[in-house]
């Protein structure tokens, strides 16, 4: 009921809750209805998203109790399943090298991937989409040098992550996000040590070495299949992954739901078209 009614006596109140697709919710196994009209939906899933309507009926008497009137008030709510976004990190780093056409550059790149993967593998994280390019660079107060521009992503879904999730009593997004944060810290610490090593061993700098302060990190959000972001419809939770609206779907971990033109999807949270 609204604020004005909640602050007054309400005589013979009854409540009728109707869920998505016009379903009467009283008696449903996944619903808990209290005598004061409060609704709790248990085990809420994306397909339970949609319009929820509560109709309140109550009686109003004149002071002499001779006349009574039944009144109705209807309250409508839009309820959506949502989840916090999963996320990965895109990282970039520069290394100085002697020349671009050296076989040693490829060997160094492969070795760096192994080191980083070994560093974070116990967290069921792994290095994804690694690549590098070689460029000549003129830096302030230096001559022209040759640098390896290395880019990669840190992903929390290495082999075995789903096994760990199935062992948890609740959804594992908190665990995967915790793991990816730990992996970020380990990799940052690795490159900080490279910087420290060069400062203390400047007389024995290896041919391919880390360039100070070149390490950068960007967070990349992703949504589980059936979910996406919509900062227009859900401006109050623009960073949330919300169940895809009817008529849209998301088959992968992208952050936007796609329109389905092949058939009409009537439910929320579709993963296929």
């Amino acid at each position: 009921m609204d604020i004005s009614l909640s602050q007054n006596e309400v005589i013979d109140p009854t409540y009728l809750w109707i869920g998505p697709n016009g379903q009467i919710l009283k008696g449903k196994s996944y619903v808990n209805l209290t005598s004061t009209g409060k609704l709790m939906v248990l085990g809420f899933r994306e397909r339970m998203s949609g319009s929820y309507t509560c109709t309140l009926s109550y009686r109003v008497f004149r002071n002499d109790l001779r006349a009574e009137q039944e009144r109705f008030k209807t309250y409508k709510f839009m309820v959506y399943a949502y989840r916090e976004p999963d996320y990965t990190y895109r990282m970039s780093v520069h290394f100085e090298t002697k020349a671009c056409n050296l076989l040693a550059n490829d060997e160094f790149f492969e070795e760096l991937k192994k080191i980083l993967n070994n560093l974070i593998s116990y967290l069921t994280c792994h290095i994804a989409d690694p690549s590098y390019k070689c460029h000549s660079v003129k830096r302030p107060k230096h001559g022209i040098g040759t640098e390896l521009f290395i880019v990669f992503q840190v992903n929390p879904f290495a082999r075995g992550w789903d096994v760990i999730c199935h062992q948890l009593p609740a959804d594992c997004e908190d665990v995967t996000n915790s793991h990816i944060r730990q992996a970020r810290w380990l990799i940052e610490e690795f490159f900080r040590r490279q910087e420290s090593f060069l400062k203390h061993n400047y007389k024995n700098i290896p041919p391919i070495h880390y360039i100070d302060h070149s390490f950068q990190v960007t967070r990349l959000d992703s949504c589980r299949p059936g979910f996406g972001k919509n900062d227009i419809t859900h401006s109050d939770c623009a960073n949330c992954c919300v169940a895809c609206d009817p008529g849209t779907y998301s088959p992968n971990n992208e952050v936007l739901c796609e329109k389905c033109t092949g058939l009409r999807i009537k439910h929320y949270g579709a993963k296929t078209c």
Side-chain angles (χ1 to χ4, degrees):
M1 61 183 68
D2 52 39
I3 294 177
S4 61
L5 276 178
S6 67
Q7 295 176 346
N8 292 284
E9 288 186 343
V10 179
I11 301 172
D12 294 338
T14 62
Y15 308 90
L16 176 65
W17 276 98
I18 303 222
N21 302 320
Q23 299 179 73
I24 295 176
L25 297 180
K26 186 176 182 180
K28 297 290 185 183
S29 60
Y30 57 87
V31 162
N32 182 9
L33 286 170
T34 71
S35 59
T36 56
K38 292 181 180 179
L39 169 70
M40 179 180 293
V41 181
L42 309 175
F44 196 90
R45 307 296 298 174
E46 47 266 43
R47 288 194 178 215
M48 297 177 180
S49 301
S51 175
Y52 286 74
T53 302
C54 176
T55 299
L56 164 67
S57 65
Y58 60 100
R59 298 181 186 278
V60 176
F61 293 91
R62 277 192 353 192
N63 290 336
D64 57 9
L65 298 182
R66 291 182 180 179
E68 69 174 67
Q69 180 182 15
E70 187 172 17
R71 292 186 180 178
F72 300 89
K73 282 206 168 187
T74 300
Y75 307 91
K76 293 184 178 181
F77 308 88
M78 288 300 297
V79 183
Y80 301 94
Y82 81 97
R83 14 179 6 127
E84 294 296 322
D86 296 308
Y87 53 89
T88 61
Y89 288 111
R90 181 191 291 128
M91 300 183 175
S92 64
V93 62
H94 295 186
F95 281 81
E96 187 168 329
T97 185
K98 295 297 184 182
C100 283
N101 58 354
L102 297 178
L103 179 61
N105 294 337
D106 291 335
E107 295 172 347
F108 172 82
F109 179 63
E110 293 301 319
E111 186 63 25
L112 180 63
K113 287 192 296 182
K114 289 179 184 178
I115 292 172
L116 296 179
N117 268 318
N118 289 337
L119 194 64
I120 61 177
S121 60
Y122 80 96
L123 296 167
T124 63
C125 295
H126 70 115
I127 302 301
D129 302 326
S131 64
Y132 85 90
K133 291 183 178 181
C134 187
H135 298 279
S136 59
V137 178
K138 170 64 175 73
R139 286 186 286 147
K141 300 180 181 179
H142 292 79
I144 292 180
T146 306
E147 297 183 12
L148 303 180
F149 289 53
I150 298 175
V151 179
F152 57 90
Q153 288 188 27
V154 182
N155 189 295
F157 304 116
R159 181 179 297 177
W161 78 273
D162 52 340
V163 176
I164 293 176
C165 282
H166 292 154
Q167 296 172 351
L168 298 172
D171 190 89
C172 70
E173 62 189 19
D174 289 341
V175 174
T176 55
N177 286 345
S178 173
H179 283 182
I180 197 70
R181 288 193 297 269
Q182 292 179 62
R184 169 183 172 164
W185 183 87
L186 288 171
I187 293 174
E188 286 178 334
E189 182 64 19
F190 171 80
F191 286 113
R192 277 195 292 267
R193 289 179 179 176
Q194 301 301 308
E195 189 173 328
S196 176
F197 172 82
L198 292 175
K199 287 180 180 178
H200 294 90
N201 297 273
Y202 61 91
K203 292 182 179 180
N204 299 302
I205 295 177
I208 302 176
H209 58 270
Y210 173 74
I211 296 176
D212 288 356
H213 310 299
S214 66
F215 180 69
Q216 295 187 9
V217 180
T218 303
R219 172 173 153 165
L220 304 174
D221 284 358
S222 63
C223 296
R224 301 283 177 93
F227 291 81
K229 292 185 180 185
N230 188 327
D231 57 3
I232 297 176
T233 304
H234 306 291
S235 58
D236 55 339
C237 193
N239 196 46
C240 298
C241 294
V242 184
C244 294
D245 289 337
T248 66
Y249 73 107
S250 177
N252 48 36
N253 296 101
E254 298 295 328
V255 295
L256 296 176
C257 299
E258 305 175 30
K259 287 186 178 180
C260 179
T261 57
L263 53 87
R264 186 180 177 188
I265 300 175
K266 298 180 180 180
H267 60 270
Y268 285 83
K271 300 174 184 177
T272 58
C273 178

